[in-house]
């Protein structure tokens, strides 16, 4: 006997449609916006009873620019460091393409880029 409950298989509702592996990639500079979009996408997929994996948090890219404060180059050597952080999340779905259109029709926060790629099995 196992200490865990038996795993329930999640099967898409329509069996006659072709089920695709769909990868949704979200990119943003704002963490709150990207997390809100991730939770909305996942909530919509779970309500449709789809197989969902993610959101997988990829490493944050830090774009750093170091520049002199003085425009003429005279004076003390003082520097400014500017940085832009780019956050990325991946969500994988197993669903027909029509269902994904319904899920991705949610309102997307400003500054969040969504990339949807469909892979055939």
């Amino acid at each position: 006997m196992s200490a865990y409950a038996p795993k329930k298989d999640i099967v898409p509702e329509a069996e006659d449609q072709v089920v695709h592996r769909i990868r949704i990639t979200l990119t943003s500079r704002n963490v709150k916006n990207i997390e809100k979009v991730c939770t909305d996408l996942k909530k919509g997929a779970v309500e449709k009873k789809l197989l969902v994996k993610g959101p997988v948090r990829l490493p944050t890219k830090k774009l750093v620019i170091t520049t002199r404060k003085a425009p003429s180059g005279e004076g003390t050597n003082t520097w400014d460091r500017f940085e832009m952080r780019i956050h990325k999340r991946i969500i994988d779905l197993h669903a027909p393409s029509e269902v994904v259109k319904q899920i991705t029709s949610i309102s997307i926060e400003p500054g969040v880029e969504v990339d949807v790629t469909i892979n055939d099995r």
Side-chain angles (χ1 to χ4, degrees):
M1 296 240 322
S2 175
Y4 300 107
K7 199 173 194 181
K8 296 179 183 176
D9 291 333
I10 299 174
V11 180
E13 294 173 356
E15 290 294 327
D16 58 341
Q17 296 178 347
V18 177
V19 177
H20 299 287
R21 292 184 307 175
I22 297 158
R23 175 164 283 180
I24 302 172
T25 306
L26 304 167
T27 308
S28 176
R29 291 183 286 159
N30 191 340
V31 178
K32 287 183 182 179
N33 290 352
I34 197 168
E35 289 295 330
K36 184 178 183 311
V37 173
C38 282
T39 55
D40 291 346
L41 282 173
K42 187 161 184 173
K43 187 187 304 180
V46 169
E47 286 175 359
K48 301 264 187 201
K49 296 185 175 150
L50 300 175
L51 180 63
V52 183
K53 293 182 182 178
V56 177
R57 290 160 179 83
L58 297 178
T60 303
K61 290 183 183 175
K62 288 186 354 180
L63 305 176
V64 180
I65 294 177
T66 305
T67 183
R68 287 281 305 266
K69 283 186 180 180
S72 64
E74 304 227 353
T76 59
N77 294 339
T78 54
W79 299 85
D80 270 333
R81 284 178 54 100
F82 298 102
E83 108 178 356
M84 181 170 63
R85 294 178 180 229
I86 299 175
H87 306 277
K88 201 168 188 182
R89 306 285 187 265
I90 291 179
I91 298 174
D92 287 330
L93 301 172
H94 293 273
S97 57
E98 294 82 21
V99 176
V100 174
K101 289 179 188 174
Q102 296 171 0
I103 293 171
T104 56
S105 65
I106 63 167
S107 63
I108 295 175
E109 295 290 318
V112 178
E113 295 180 22
V114 179
D115 182 34
V116 179
T117 55
I118 299 175
N119 298 331
D120 289 330
R121 287 188 175 198

